[in-house]
Amino acid sequence: MTAALLLSSMGAMAQETYQDAEIATQDLNGTAKYVGMGGAMEALGADISAAGENPAALGLSRSGSVSATFGYSQQPNGGNISGDSKGNVNFDQIGVVLPMIRDYDSQLNLGFGYRKSTNFNQILNLTGATLPYQYDGKTYYGSQNTTTYEKYHSYLGDDAYTQVDYLYENTLMHTNDNSGDLGCYSASGYYLGRERKGYIGNYDIILSCNSHDRIYYGFGITISDVHYQNNSLFRENLLNGGETIGNVELEDSRHISGVGASLKGGIIFRPIEASPFRIGLSVETPTWYDLRTRNNTAIYNNTDYGSNKKVLSTGEVYEYEISTPWKFGLSAGTTFGRFLAIGASFNYVDYSSLKSEIKEAEGGRYNYYESAYNDRNMCDHTERSLKGVSTFKVGAEVRVVPEVAVRLGYNYVSPMYKEDAYKDITLDSPGTYYSSTTDYTNWKATNRFTAGLGFNISPEFSLDLAYQYSDKKGEFAPYCNINGNTPACSVDVNNKRHQALCTLTYRF
């Protein structure tokens, strides 16, 4: 296996474990102060983004405020297939904190916030021997010779007859002797290009209380807005008797949109009255997503062979639901005068409990929707493939002079995929049927490094800057062997991202 050019990767498919996992996870994002400290502010509080993790954090705000954050993110290498810039300007956050009731040592605050919780932007360019038979070979258990489509179809069953299979059956799979038998040609010159765009935006409504400056507790409602777009291009040169007879291109475009909702609650308390040290606890319910996916897949047979020389395309629209796992958080933080603040936090999410649901059809199986029920086969696959994830965050702020603060932070996110996880195209599930790609990536741990600066321009205005570098490695497989349920071939990939943030805050 070789890879001439290798960047990052992600599969795109409907209501399938690997796609559901991408929607269920979150990035580190929010105000520049929050990101600059690595997000380890849940117990320190007084920040609208920290309140998005633990609503009690809003109870530490002593005044009203309005904040807005703009950012720029970039994947450091690679070029995408559309020619657009690999960097993106983002509107990352806006929030309002309104003091409702004030007493000398107690307070009730109401907060409204928006933050981009997940940034899907990512680029993949991959060439070389990693990709042989990604689409044609996957239907022949690695064989290029005599195995017929009928054998493949009877082995997998009707539910595994995917859109890509339909396109190849009607273009490339007939041999050139006009016998009607199905086979496939050898190939070379493989290229896979993929780009993702989109985001998940979280809208938070938070109510938080400060009780005698000793106990802080809060409750929140989060509405999530999903926008996901994936475009991919696979190209290969076909060979007949060792000679190139033309090339074939497979284009796929997938869009996922929908909404979700979750509830969250938290508490922060100072165990020692005379000490600023505080401990925070938080819990968030599953996010219930109602999603709609549509795709268009087209094949270009630029050869003189095959049963159809024209471009064939197919598209599907499918509605489904997923519910993410419960999320639990523990945090701690303290201050030393007005010059130093230190925070740390830990949260845990068991992604093996992520649930997929089918919307039942009245007159057909997957078409006209009446009610939803668990997609048991896909849920079992998720349980076999994913595991619990622990996130550790630490951060510190040093105020070098009263008007200037310096911040540093670090995150470690443990892997969510099990070592033997794979995308199973034999599952009896609409998530299999509506799949339009065969590849998948088992991502490993994520490391994030952050830094930031804070400037108090006046008693009312402050300006915060932050930088974040994230690094996540993974193992990319173009498809999975049907017999052994193991990757036919795989290669290491790396998803790196740079992000810069700027927040302007007005206090009143």
Side-chain angles (χ1 to χ4, degrees):
M1 288 180 285
T2 60
L5 180 61
L6 190 59
L7 298 177
S8 58
S9 64
M10 175 199 170
M13 51 218 68
Q15 197 206 327
E16 195 272 332
T17 295
Y18 285 82
Q19 181 64 74
D20 291 349
E22 293 293 333
I23 293 177
T25 55
Q26 295 187 4
D27 298 328
L28 173 65
N29 207 8
T31 66
K33 180 178 181 179
Y34 178 76
V35 173
M37 290 189 65
M41 291 187 63
E42 288 91 335
L44 294 171
D47 183 273
I48 188 68
S49 296
E53 294 292 321
N54 185 340
L58 202 67
L60 284 92
S61 295
R62 302 299 186 185
S63 62
S65 65
V66 178
S67 60
T69 303
F70 294 88
Y72 177 80
S73 61
Q74 184 182 56
Q75 188 175 317
N77 49 11
N80 50 25
I81 58 179
S82 68
D84 295 337
S85 172
K86 58 187 177 183
N88 302 95
V89 176
N90 305 303
F91 178 66
D92 290 285
Q93 177 270 337
I94 188 170
V96 179
V97 179
L98 301 174
M100 304 299 292
I101 301 175
R102 293 180 179 178
D103 199 352
Y104 75 98
D105 64 350
S106 300
Q107 190 165 332
L108 175 67
N109 293 330
L110 179 64
F112 301 92
Y114 162 82
R115 59 175 170 145
K116 185 177 292 184
S117 66
T118 304
N119 185 345
F120 289 122
N121 293 345
Q122 195 179 92
I123 303 168
L124 162 71
N125 282 310
L126 185 64
T127 62
T130 304
L131 297 176
Y133 324 118
Q134 176 174 356
Y135 295 103
D136 55 349
K138 78 181 179 68
T139 64
Y140 302 99
Y141 323 120
S143 170
Q144 299 180 53
N145 300 314
T146 60
T147 307
T148 64
Y149 168 77
E150 285 79 8
K151 180 177 179 181
Y152 162 71
H153 191 52
S154 63
Y155 178 83
L156 296 183
D158 293 340
D159 291 305
Y161 181 44
T162 65
Q163 299 170 48
V164 174
D165 302 325
Y166 167 78
L167 295 178
Y168 268 85
E169 177 196 1
N170 286 277
T171 54
L172 301 179
M173 290 187 177
H174 286 280
T175 58
N176 59 358
D177 59 5
N178 297 317
S179 65
D181 293 333
L182 298 174
C184 67
Y185 298 100
S186 300
S188 65
Y190 311 100
Y191 168 79
L192 175 65
R194 174 165 297 146
E195 59 184 5
R196 289 186 303 159
K197 299 179 180 179
Y199 63 93
I200 297 178
N202 281 356
Y203 300 84
D204 298 312
I205 303 174
I206 299 168
L207 186 66
S208 183
C209 298
N210 172 350
S211 178
H212 304 292
D213 203 24
R214 183 80 182 272
I215 301 176
Y216 314 84
Y217 45 93
F219 173 80
I221 301 173
T222 299
I223 305 298
S224 301
D225 187 19
V226 180
H227 301 271
Y228 174 93
Q229 176 70 42
N230 181 86
N231 299 309
S232 66
L233 171 65
F234 175 76
R235 181 189 302 118
E236 62 185 16
N237 297 324
L238 295 189
L239 304 177
N240 187 17
E243 296 184 1
T244 301
I245 57 175
N247 67 64
V248 177
E249 295 180 335
L250 180 67
E251 293 183 353
D252 183 75
S253 175
R254 178 168 298 281
H255 181 267
I256 300 175
S257 60
V259 296
S262 65
L263 305 176
K264 61 188 68 176
I267 185 171
I268 300 171
F269 60 94
R270 293 192 293 118
I272 303 174
E273 184 175 4
S275 171
F277 176 76
R278 41 195 179 263
I279 298 173
L281 300 171
S282 63
V283 61
E284 183 174 355
T285 69
T287 301
W288 294 277
Y289 281 109
D290 191 348
L291 301 171
R292 183 177 188 268
T293 180
R294 67 177 185 272
N295 86 291
N296 185 72
T297 306
I299 191 168
Y300 298 80
N301 181 7
N302 302 314
T303 76
D304 292 329
Y305 298 87
S307 62
N308 197 320
K309 312 302 186 298
K310 299 178 181 179
V311 176
L312 291 183
S313 64
T314 180
E316 298 280 1
V317 176
Y318 175 55
E319 296 182 11
Y320 63 103
E321 297 178 358
I322 66 173
S323 59
T324 67
W326 288 79
K327 182 178 180 180
F328 302 93
L330 171 66
S331 57
T334 190
T335 58
F336 298 88
R338 299 175 59 87
F339 306 103
L340 175 64
I342 299 175
S345 65
F346 165 81
N347 64 56
Y348 180 80
V349 182
D350 182 9
Y351 286 104
S352 67
S353 62
L354 191 156
K355 302 300 181 184
S356 301
E357 292 193 344
I358 300 171
K359 287 192 172 181
E360 181 59 77
E362 179 179 309
R365 190 168 183 184
Y366 306 132
N367 299 314
Y368 181 76
Y369 308 111
E370 286 286 317
S371 60
Y373 61 94
N374 277 352
D375 183 351
R376 175 46 53 194
N377 291 330
M378 191 59 71
C379 289
D380 289 344
H381 177 263
T382 299
E383 187 174 357
R384 294 194 305 267
S385 303
L386 305 183
K387 60 183 179 179
V389 171
S390 299
T391 301
F392 300 89
K393 299 186 288 187
V394 294
E397 176 188 270
V398 179
R399 193 160 290 279
V400 293
V401 296
E403 295 79 18
V404 180
V406 177
R407 304 173 182 122
L408 292 173
Y410 170 74
N411 286 188
Y412 173 81
V413 184
S414 66
M416 70 182 305
Y417 295 97
K418 296 180 179 179
E419 291 289 337
D420 57 351
Y422 63 93
K423 189 168 93 74
D424 189 350
I425 64 173
T426 69
L427 290 177
D428 180 5
S429 165
T432 302
Y433 172 78
Y434 288 99
S435 293
S436 51
T437 61
T438 63
D439 57 274
Y440 61 97
T441 305
N442 288 339
W443 292 110
K444 303 183 185 301
T446 301
N447 291 277
R448 303 185 183 116
F449 303 87
T450 68
L453 293 172
F455 303 93
N456 289 333
I457 301 173
S458 70
E460 294 83 19
F461 288 96
S462 63
L463 177 68
D464 296 292
L465 305 175
Y467 166 77
Q468 176 183 183
Y469 171 75
S470 63
D471 184 4
K472 179 169 62 175
K473 295 178 175 60
E475 187 177 81
F476 172 87
Y479 63 94
C480 189
N481 278 338
I482 299 172
N483 282 342
N485 292 329
T486 57
C489 53
S490 61
V491 67
D492 292 336
V493 294
N494 199 340
N495 179 25
K496 301 179 180 180
R497 181 180 294 172
H498 299 284
Q499 183 184 22
L501 296 167
C502 176
T503 300
L504 181 64
T505 301
Y506 171 71
R507 296 180 178 85
F508 54 89

